[in-house]
Amino acid sequence: MPQGETFHRAVSKVLFISQIYGLLPVSHVRALDVADLRYRWLSPRVFYSGLIVILNLCEFGAVINYVANVAITFHTSSTLSLYIVCLLEHLFFWRLAIRWPSIMRTWQGVEKLFLRVPYRFYGEYKIKKRIYIVFAVVMSSALVEHCLLLLNSFHLSNMERIQCKINVTYFESIYKWERPHLYMIIPYHIWLLPIFEWVNQTIAYPRSFTDCFIMCIGIGLAARFHQLYRRIAAVHRKVMPAVFWTEVRDHYLALKRLVRLLDTAIAPLVLLAFGNNMSFICFQLFNSFKNIGVDFIVMVAFWYSLIFAVVRTLLTIFVASSINDFERKIVTALRDVPSRAWSIEVGHLIYQISYIISFFAPPQVQRFSEQLGNDMTALSGSGFFYLTRSLVLAMGTTIITYELMISDVINQGAIRQKTQYCREF
């Protein structure tokens, strides 16, 4: 790993792109030195982010007005939840931006330990490359999803205009279909469409970027645990002096504190992202049992959106859980330390992760437990769940249970192919 490949430098371009959509309004986010990072209330980025939040709030008010005038249904409630999640994501990223400069300075302070000898020989994790690949794959897939959904809206609005013989232009029919809540209060003007589309993108972007951001954090933290594991594995079954284990323990504790700091900072985003993903997947699964149409475009947009949500959620879990995976590898490596090489420091390091040796280790080894602790080393959703591989099973069980609960829709013969697109406003 190059000496200067810090997490800040690896993720700076990704964060700069997110600022185009009003997220994380930190000044000098592309600066080479974290000391230059600033959060200023009277900065152009903050004003721009504030403008986007205000526009989203105005549209959310229009949605509430539309639902109040029409009816609260399963579909309209999902629209409400979409806007609520979007607004919360913007606010949580704004909250994180206030603390981001201090978080990055703390992070770089810990990274300095791993950017020098001997860790520089164990650092082929390639943080920047991994972050760029994750960002490119996830966000390009999100762009494809957005384009398919737009194409789907264009197609359905045109079908409605033709079948129902609505005397409006093509673009007005799109506006009426895509933004019925705005159509009720704002007359159609073609110059409004680019503005509304931009607002639509600021609503759609955070949904995928939040998962991408969690993965970036996971990659940055996992890289340092990987280096620590490689250093311990390099002395496999060797007798090392106490000073070696003292240094390893101190570096491990520094990483643990960094994980806790990041977990506290992004826990609301993790909880919101996974809650939104689960609700969206369940909503789409429910729709799969109902009328989704017979048109090819409708089917492709629907199934791509569902599959992308599932894959993105799984990818987020597997990438973020690598933090916990490397810690478990550290446990395995420490258990192979020869008993004659045990010292107070080795004992501390082992027992912090496992209770097992507490029955066999001498008193000075048991003192080791005071640092390595018994808490989970992983990112979490405000303590409600942890991003480990076992979360995949928990989410899978929940989805299967949900599928069984709604399967009676099939038994009742409620599925009918939709061919008529007329609706009233």
Side-chain angles (χ1 to χ4, degrees):
M1 177 183 299
Q3 186 173 3
E5 190 175 30
T6 64
F7 175 77
H8 165 69
R9 294 187 180 183
V11 82
S12 60
K13 291 182 180 179
V14 171
L15 299 183
F16 178 77
I17 294 174
S18 72
Q19 290 184 337
I20 299 175
Y21 298 88
L23 302 176
L24 209 71
V26 178
S27 299
H28 310 298
V29 72
R30 292 193 61 188
L32 296 179
D33 191 350
V34 296
D36 296 329
L37 290 176
R38 295 287 186 276
Y39 176 81
R40 296 187 178 94
W41 286 102
L42 299 178
S43 68
R45 285 177 171 81
V46 170
F47 282 118
Y48 177 68
S49 297
L51 176 62
I52 288 179
V53 170
I54 291 172
L55 290 174
N56 289 335
L57 278 172
C58 292
E59 186 161 0
F60 179 59
V63 171
I64 294 177
N65 177 69
Y66 174 75
V67 172
N69 283 278
V70 180
I72 297 180
T73 63
F74 191 65
H75 179 74
T76 56
S77 62
S78 68
T79 303
L80 280 173
S81 65
L82 171 65
Y83 281 89
I84 291 173
V85 168
C86 166
L87 287 170
L88 288 177
E89 284 174 335
H90 276 280
L91 293 177
F92 286 155
F93 270 111
W94 203 332
R95 170 180 173 269
L96 180 62
I98 298 174
R99 300 181 56 191
W100 191 252
S102 63
I103 290 174
M104 284 295 95
R105 293 184 187 103
T106 303
W107 195 326
Q108 189 175 69
V110 174
E111 281 188 317
K112 286 180 180 179
L113 302 173
F114 296 88
L115 294 176
R116 61 193 185 195
V117 177
Y119 290 107
R120 288 176 59 189
F121 302 118
Y122 310 124
E124 75 282 3
Y125 202 74
K126 300 178 181 178
I127 300 177
K128 181 181 289 187
K129 181 179 179 180
R130 288 171 182 261
I131 287 177
Y132 284 2
I133 290 175
V134 165
F135 180 77
V137 171
V138 173
M139 299 315 297
S140 61
S141 300
L143 179 61
V144 173
E145 179 193 31
H146 186 71
C147 292
L148 283 174
L149 293 177
L150 282 180
L151 182 62
N152 182 46
S153 295
F154 293 167
H155 173 67
L156 293 180
S157 63
N158 190 50
M159 291 289 291
E160 180 193 49
R161 185 173 66 95
I162 295 173
Q163 289 185 3
C164 307
K165 297 180 174 59
I166 301 175
N167 188 23
V168 295
T169 64
Y170 175 71
F171 288 106
E172 185 174 355
S173 68
I174 294 174
Y175 175 50
K176 184 179 179 181
W177 183 276
E178 270 281 284
R179 292 290 189 273
H181 49 279
L182 294 177
Y183 189 78
M184 291 179 63
I185 57 179
I186 301 177
Y188 165 76
H189 297 285
I190 193 169
W191 57 269
L192 287 174
L193 296 184
I195 299 175
F196 290 148
E197 173 56 24
W198 174 245
V199 175
N200 186 31
Q201 290 190 27
T202 63
I203 294 172
Y205 183 86
R207 185 165 66 94
S208 297
F209 178 75
T210 302
D211 291 331
C212 187
F213 179 75
I214 295 170
M215 284 187 268
C216 291
I217 296 292
I219 291 171
L221 292 173
R224 305 313 171 192
F225 277 97
H226 173 257
Q227 287 179 282
L228 186 63
Y229 162 70
R230 289 288 305 277
R231 185 180 182 187
I232 296 174
V235 296
H236 181 67
R237 297 188 180 279
K238 294 181 180 179
V239 178
M240 302 299 293
V243 65
F244 172 85
W245 296 111
T246 300
E247 184 177 76
V248 168
R249 177 171 61 89
D250 290 342
H251 295 173
Y252 176 83
L253 293 177
L255 286 178
K256 290 273 284 189
R257 288 190 292 268
L258 182 61
V259 171
R260 293 193 190 101
L261 174 66
L262 268 298
D263 182 45
T264 302
I266 71 170
L269 282 170
V270 174
L271 182 62
L272 185 65
F274 278 85
N276 180 52
N277 289 343
M278 279 294 293
S279 63
F280 179 78
I281 291 171
C282 291
F283 175 74
Q284 292 293 79
L285 287 174
F286 178 82
N287 284 336
S288 69
F289 288 138
K290 298 190 68 179
N291 305 334
I292 59 176
V294 294
D295 295 299
F296 177 75
I297 296 176
V298 177
M299 296 289 290
V300 170
F302 175 83
W303 288 110
Y304 181 91
S305 181
L306 175 57
I307 294 171
F308 174 57
V310 173
V311 172
R312 190 182 69 239
T313 303
L314 291 176
L315 184 62
T316 304
I317 294 175
F318 282 119
V319 172
S321 66
S322 58
I323 301 171
N324 184 254
D325 292 342
F326 281 121
E327 192 200 34
R328 294 173 65 181
K329 289 183 179 180
I330 291 174
V331 176
T332 303
L334 288 174
R335 285 173 177 167
D336 290 336
V337 175
S339 59
R340 66 181 183 277
W342 277 19
S343 65
I344 296 177
E345 304 303 333
V346 179
H348 277 317
L349 196 52
I350 300 175
Y351 187 82
Q352 279 177 312
I353 313 173
S354 175
Y355 284 109
I356 295 176
I357 69 161
S358 63
F359 299 104
F360 306 101
Q364 65 269 28
V365 173
Q366 293 182 22
R367 287 173 49 198
F368 211 147
S369 63
E370 297 175 1
Q371 279 89 27
L372 266 174
N374 307 307
D375 57 327
M376 178 76 70
T377 303
L379 300 176
S380 73
S382 297
F384 290 101
F385 58 86
Y386 290 90
L387 298 187
T388 62
R389 291 180 182 268
S390 60
L391 183 61
V392 176
L393 294 177
M395 295 182 69
T397 302
T398 302
I399 292 174
I400 292 173
T401 303
Y402 177 79
E403 285 278 295
L404 294 175
M405 291 176 61
I406 64 175
S407 61
D408 62 337
V409 175
I410 298 179
N411 298 330
Q412 294 171 7
I415 298 181
R416 296 184 304 273
Q417 296 297 343
K418 183 175 180 180
T419 57
Q420 296 296 323
Y421 298 95
C422 294
R423 63 179 182 177
E424 296 184 8
F425 293 88

